[in-house]
Amino acid sequence: MLSAAVSGAVFASPSTAEVLAAILHVTGPAGCLVVVKNYTGDRLNFGLACEHAKARGLGVEMVVVGDDCALPHRGLGIAGRRGLAGTVLVHKVAGAAAAAGATLSQVAAEARAAAAAVGTVGVGLK
């Protein structure tokens, strides 16, 4: 289940050290699944923190969610779709898999399948 959330300042990602501190704090014997919204800074800092945690011998998997339907899959540029509200559903699927006793790699596979299947459309109203 969701054990930690790490946020940065307004329009900024949290630092690698902040993310690593959260991973170290919550990771148990079964490991840690890190769900990240597809933003460049988040992918960089969360990815580095996951690698640092793995170097310390922890079981860590990272799943990136890019569910914004305003952009095509593998669209223009390298940034791709943003992670939006669909991330909540990815958390729910991962939590259900973990509660059912799945291994970290199985939980990550379920979360990746959910991330690939979910889509979100953002609408702004005046």
Side-chain angles (χ1 to χ4, degrees):
M1 300 304 174
L2 182 63
S3 298
V6 186
S7 60
V10 177
F11 301 117
S13 297
S15 70
T16 300
E18 292 167 330
V19 177
L20 179 59
I23 292 171
L24 295 175
H25 183 73
V26 302
T27 301
C32 178
L33 178 69
V34 178
V35 179
V36 181
K37 293 178 181 163
N38 187 30
Y39 295 96
T40 305
D42 287 349
R43 289 185 70 151
L44 176 66
N45 291 342
F46 280 80
L48 286 170
C50 288
E51 292 305 315
H52 287 300
K54 288 177 186 177
R56 293 180 183 214
L58 298 176
V60 179
E61 292 264 1
M62 186 170 97
V63 173
V64 178
V65 181
D67 58 310
D68 185 358
C69 290
L71 297 170
H73 283 293
R74 314 238 187 252
L76 307 171
I78 59 174
R81 293 177 159 189
R82 300 173 295 161
L84 299 172
T87 306
V88 173
L89 300 175
V90 174
H91 283 277
K92 296 293 279 181
V93 168
T103 65
L104 177 58
S105 61
Q106 292 168 330
V107 171
E110 291 291 336
R112 287 186 184 103
V118 71
T120 300
V121 176
V123 178
L125 302 173
K126 188 174 181 182

